[in-house]
Amino acid sequence: MPVTYERLDQAAVITFDNPPLNVFGQAMRAGLQAAIAKARVNRPERLILKGAGRAFVAGSDAKEFDGPPLAPQLNDILAELIDLPFPTIAAITGPALGGGLEIALACRTRIAAPGATLGLPEVTLGIVPGAGGTQRLPRLIGIAAAVDLIGHGRAVPAKDALKLGLVDIVAEDPFATALSLEAEVLRRAIAPDHRPAPTADAAAIAAAHTQANRRAAGQEASHIAIDLVAASATEPLDSTLLRERAAFLSLRHSAQARALRHVFFAERAAQSQGKAFPAPSQEIKSTVVVGGGTMGAAIAYALALAGLTVHLVETDAAGQARAETNVGKLVTQGAERGAFADETAFRARLSFGVGYDALPPADLAIEAAFESLDVKRVIFGALQAALPASTILATNTSYLDVNQLAEGIADPGRFLGLHFFAPAHVMKLLEIVRGDKTSDATLGQAFALAKRLGKMPVVSGVCDGFIGNRILSRYRQVADLLMLEGSCPKGIDDAMRGFGMAMGPYEAQDMSGLDIAYANRQRQNLRNRTDIRYVTIADTLVEDLKRLGRKTSAGWYDYDAAGKPVESDAVTHVIYRASDAAGITRVARGKDEIAQRAVLAMIMEAIHILEEGIAARPQDIDLVMVHGYGFPRWRGGLMHFADQLTPAVVLSHIAALAEADPLSWSVPALLRRLLAEGRNFDSLNSEGSLA
C-alpha cells in the first residue's frame, strides 16, 4: 500500500511508501484521506506523518497534470487534516517538496532531519502551489521569506528552515522525536490556518516581481504566485485558498506549464541515458587539464569542486602563473560563497606545472587550449606519451572535428569531446561528443563524470559546432542578414530578449569577444563561399576598427566607464555602408518578425542536425538550447516550441523564406516527412537511440 496507517500505543502513524521518493499521485491522495478518516475515529493522542525510505514526499506526480484533476484533491484532504482535534506532526526526512511541503504545512508541528530539504518549486513547472502553500507558508515565516521561496521555487536545507520558522525542530531521528515530544509542547502547537495573517510587505512583493522579470522574463507563474503570497496578508484565508486553487488548475494546462514539464522530463531522461552504456569499473578520481585560460581554469575548478584531484598544465612559467591566478580567483570566490567547507583541503587537490615531462598518473585528461587543430594534435601526442594507456583523453573544442583529433591516438576508443560551456563551473550543460571510434565504456565514464559534476549530459555526433554552436552560428547568420536588410543590433537584441532569450545575439558576442567568432569564420573560410549569403559587417568591426567587445570597451556597442552599453555611431556607419554596397534598400522590421525569423533559422538548422543523426532526439536539442544558450525554459526548448508552432506552420514559413532567399533557407526533408505522416517532433523522442 502506498499509504499505511498504524497505532503505536497512544500515537498513530501515517507512512507514505511510494519508492523511491514518495511522489504523490491519486492513489497516495486516496490513501492519505482514508488514513485521516481512521485517525478521526481512533482519536490518537498524536498523529505522526512520515515518509518511508529516503524522502518525506518529493512532490506531486507531474504526469497527472496533463489530464483532468483526479479525486480526491490534496487541498480538500489537507482541510480535513487541519481540522483534526488532536496534534499532528510531520516527521521529515529527505525532500519535502511541493505537495509534500504542503502536507507538512497543514500539520501543527514540523520536525526535520539535518539532511532534509523543504521547498515549493511549483513555479519551475509553470504552476503555483495548489494546496495552501502560498497561504500557509507566509503565516509561518512572513511575507518576505515566503515570497523568496515561492517566487523562486527555491528549496532550503533543514538548518535554514529552522531559522526561518518553517520547521520547529531539527533532529537526527524526526520520528523518534515526534513520539517523545511532551504533550504540553504539542498542546501549544498551532496550525498555520489558526495563526494571524502575516504583515503586508509591499517592498518585498515589488522586489520579488522585479527578480522574477530578471530571472525568467515572460514567465507567468512566478508573478501569479507572488500576488497570491501578497494576498495572504490582506484577504480572508478561505477566499485566498480558493483563489490559489483556481490559479493552480488554470495554469496546469497552460502552454508554459506544458513546456516546463517537457523540459523537466527531458532532463530526467538525459540523466538516465548513461544506463545505455557500461557502468564504469572504477570512478574517475584524478585528472589533468591542459590550458589555464578562462575556460581551462573553470574546468579545473569544477573538477576540484566535485572532489577530483587536478593537475593543470601550461606551456611556460608565465602561463603557469596566469593559470594559478585564474584558478585562485575562482577558489577565493567559492570560499566566499561557502562552496566548500575547507579551503586548504580544496587547494590541496589542485597542482600546476609546465610541460608534460612529470605528469602525475591520471584517469582523465581534458585539453582546453587554443582552437587550432595542429595545436591540439601536439597536445594529445604529448598526453598519450606521458600518461597511462588507460587514461581517457578528452577535448573541450567548441567546433573542431573530434574524429580528426583522434587520428593520432593509438586507442581512439578512449578519446571523445567533453564540451563545457562558459563559465564551466556554473553552466550545467555538457555536450558529450561521440567520435566514430569512441567506445561505449568511455561514454559510460563520461556520463558518470557528468553526474558527479552535476552537469546535464547531452550526446552529440561530430560536425562543425556539434549541436549548440552549429545552431548558434545559424542564429548569428540570420541576425546579420536582418541587420543588413534594415534592423540594428539593439533592435535585434531587444526582440530576442522579448522572445525570452537570456541575451540578444550582439550583446552576447560582446560578452564573449568578437575575435572568437571571427576566428571561427576565418577557419571555415565563409567569406569565400558561394553557397551562402555572407555578411561582412562583423569582420569589418574586428579587422578595421579593432572592436572586440567588452574587453576593448567597443564591440557591437560602445561601453561607458560603468560598462553600460550604448549604441555606436561607428557601427551604424559600417552597417549602412554594407547595406549600400549590397544594393539593399533597408526596411525596418517589428520585434515579432525579427524574433520569428531568427527562431525559424534555429529550428531549420536543428532539423538538419536531427536528419544527420548529430542529435539523437529533439529533446536533446531542447536541453542544449535551454542549458547552454539561454533559450527560454518556459517555451520548452527549440523543438518543443517548433511543435507549438506546428510542423505545418514551420514548413509554410521556411518554404516562403527559401523561395525568396534560396542561399539562406531550405526546407529539410525530415520536416516534409513529418508533415506527410501527420507527426510532430515530439514523436521522434521515443525513436532516438544512443547505443
Side-chain angles (χ1 to χ4, degrees):
M1 293 288 291
V3 179
T4 60
Y5 175 85
E6 62 179 328
R7 286 296 298 263
L8 293 177
D9 296 326
Q10 297 303 308
V13 182
I14 294 175
T15 303
F16 307 120
D17 191 3
N18 182 28
L21 294 173
N22 300 328
V23 170
F24 227 67
Q26 192 274 338
M28 295 274 280
R29 294 194 300 274
L32 175 58
Q33 187 175 50
I36 290 172
K38 290 180 182 178
R40 190 180 297 277
V41 172
N42 295 159
R43 299 184 69 86
E45 182 261 342
R46 66 189 69 191
L47 176 65
I48 303 169
L49 287 74
K50 69 182 184 70
R54 54 193 177 95
F56 181 70
V57 172
S60 298
D61 186 353
K63 293 179 181 178
E64 286 189 359
F65 293 169
D66 288 323
L70 301 174
Q73 301 301 311
L74 185 58
N75 60 314
D76 295 329
I77 298 168
L78 296 188
E80 297 175 22
L81 182 63
I82 286 281
D83 287 339
L84 289 176
F86 40 80
T88 52
I89 310 166
I92 302 167
T93 54
L97 303 174
L101 181 54
E102 288 180 303
I103 293 170
L105 289 172
C107 294
R108 300 184 191 181
T109 302
R110 284 153 296 283
I111 305 171
T117 54
L118 303 93
L120 294 168
E122 282 85 351
V123 297
T124 66
L125 290 176
I127 56 176
V128 298
T134 66
Q135 303 307 301
R136 294 186 177 114
L137 185 62
R139 282 170 164 76
L140 286 178
I141 67 175
I143 292 287
V147 81
D148 176 53
L149 294 185
I150 293 172
H152 288 80
R154 192 164 65 86
V156 293
K159 62 181 179 61
D160 292 342
L162 180 64
K163 293 176 184 176
L164 290 171
L166 175 51
V167 300
D168 303 288
I169 301 170
V170 173
E172 289 292 339
D173 189 337
F175 179 59
T177 303
L179 285 172
S180 64
L181 276 180
E182 295 181 2
E184 179 61 22
V185 173
L186 293 177
R187 190 185 66 78
R188 293 196 302 266
I190 302 172
D193 295 44
H194 303 136
R195 299 188 182 202
T199 303
D201 192 337
I205 295 299
H209 280 301
T210 299
Q211 283 292 326
N213 282 327
R214 184 177 298 124
R215 189 180 65 256
Q219 187 171 330
E220 301 167 350
S222 293
H223 295 287
I224 294 172
I226 291 165
D227 287 339
L228 285 166
V229 173
S232 71
T234 58
E235 299 178 26
L237 178 61
D238 289 348
S239 64
T240 52
L241 286 172
L242 290 173
R243 182 174 152 194
E244 177 198 72
R245 186 65 183 174
F248 167 80
L249 292 174
S250 173
L251 286 170
R252 64 184 276 174
H253 294 300
S254 68
Q256 290 192 4
R258 288 196 301 271
L260 288 163
R261 287 199 295 275
H262 167 76
V263 175
F264 172 75
F265 287 117
E267 289 170 339
R268 287 176 56 177
Q271 290 165 338
S272 67
Q273 285 173 3
K275 296 176 183 176
F277 304 103
S281 56
Q282 61 180 44
E283 64 179 6
I284 293 172
K285 296 180 180 179
S286 55
T287 64
V288 166
V289 175
V290 180
T294 301
M295 178 59 80
I299 292 172
Y301 175 76
L303 294 169
L305 202 58
L308 307 177
T309 62
V310 185
H311 182 76
L312 197 150
V313 178
E314 264 294 351
T315 56
D316 54 31
Q320 178 181 333
R322 287 192 298 271
E324 292 183 15
T325 298
N326 290 338
V327 175
K329 289 178 181 177
L330 295 175
V331 175
T332 299
Q333 292 167 4
E336 292 172 351
R337 292 195 307 271
F340 40 82
D342 187 336
E343 183 175 348
T344 301
F346 186 90
R347 289 183 180 274
R349 293 199 288 271
L350 293 158
S351 62
F352 302 83
V354 173
Y356 306 91
D357 292 339
L359 292 185
D363 302 314
L364 168 70
I366 302 175
E367 164 276 316
F370 180 70
E371 285 287 88
S372 162
L373 195 65
D374 292 338
V375 168
K376 292 179 187 292
R377 279 175 166 165
V378 169
I379 289 170
F380 284 114
L383 289 173
Q384 182 174 224
L387 293 171
S390 60
T391 302
I392 296 170
L393 302 178
T395 175
N396 182 57
T397 182
S398 300
Y399 293 96
L400 299 180
D401 190 318
V402 168
N403 290 324
Q404 290 185 29
L405 287 171
E407 287 174 357
I409 307 298
D411 176 13
R414 61 175 171 140
F415 187 84
L416 79 165
L418 292 177
H419 182 210
F420 291 81
F421 287 73
H425 61 296
V426 174
M427 297 292 283
K428 287 191 67 175
L429 180 64
L430 178 64
E431 278 186 320
I432 298 173
V433 186
R434 180 178 192 168
D436 290 346
K437 297 182 179 180
T438 304
S439 72
D440 284 354
T442 297
L443 290 169
Q445 285 280 16
F447 272 98
L449 177 68
K451 182 177 182 179
R452 184 162 183 180
L453 294 176
K455 301 295 185 184
M456 187 61 59
V458 175
V459 173
S460 171
V462 176
C463 68
D464 200 299
F466 316 125
I467 297 172
N469 278 340
R470 178 168 160 181
I471 294 173
L472 176 66
S473 294
R474 185 72 185 92
Y475 172 45
R476 288 176 171 176
Q477 287 169 10
V478 80
D480 286 353
L481 288 172
L482 287 163
M483 179 172 58
L484 185 71
E485 294 170 358
S487 301
C488 64
K490 185 177 185 303
I492 295 170
D493 283 344
D494 288 348
M496 298 316 298
R497 273 189 276 101
F499 175 78
M501 298 292 286
M503 299 179 74
Y506 296 107
E507 55 189 344
Q509 285 185 60
D510 273 3
M511 186 74 71
S512 62
L514 272 66
D515 49 331
I516 295 175
Y518 173 78
N520 188 53
R521 293 193 300 273
Q522 296 299 104
R523 177 185 60 80
Q524 293 177 302
N525 194 28
L526 296 181
R527 186 180 297 188
N528 294 321
R529 285 176 55 177
T530 58
D531 60 331
I532 61 171
R533 287 181 67 197
Y534 184 66
V535 179
T536 61
I537 296 171
D539 293 347
T540 301
L541 298 187
V542 173
E543 294 171 352
D544 297 348
L545 303 184
K546 312 302 180 188
R547 300 175 69 95
L548 304 183
R550 283 184 174 272
K551 58 189 171 187
T552 59
S553 297
W556 290 103
Y557 298 91
D558 292 332
Y559 293 89
D560 62 20
K564 181 181 178 181
V566 180
E567 289 188 272
S568 168
D569 291 339
V571 172
T572 300
H573 176 71
V574 172
I575 293 169
Y576 275 76
R577 191 172 64 192
S579 298
D580 289 342
I584 290 173
T585 301
R586 294 177 60 81
V587 178
R589 290 186 170 88
K591 290 183 178 181
D592 289 347
E593 185 179 358
I594 290 171
Q596 181 192 69
R597 184 78 59 90
V599 173
L600 283 169
M602 290 191 278
I603 291 172
M604 183 185 75
E605 195 65 34
I607 298 171
H608 287 308
I609 286 170
L610 287 169
E611 285 179 326
E612 297 166 21
I614 301 302
R617 49 183 70 83
Q619 67 189 27
D620 291 343
I621 294 173
D622 290 337
L623 293 180
V624 167
M625 297 307 295
V626 167
H627 285 289
Y629 297 88
F631 195 91
R633 185 184 181 92
W634 54 268
R635 290 194 185 274
L638 186 63
M639 304 314 295
H640 180 85
F641 182 70
D643 272 342
Q644 296 300 104
L645 293 175
T646 75
V649 169
V650 172
L651 175 59
S652 174
H653 285 312
I654 292 179
L657 291 164
E659 184 176 356
D661 182 5
L663 282 179
S664 302
W665 299 86
S666 62
V667 179
L670 175 59
L671 181 56
R672 293 192 188 278
R673 177 168 68 84
L674 287 177
L675 194 61
E677 296 173 356
R679 301 169 63 192
N680 62 6
F681 292 105
D682 186 57
S683 69
L684 299 174
N685 284 320
S686 60
E687 296 181 1
S689 175
L690 293 172

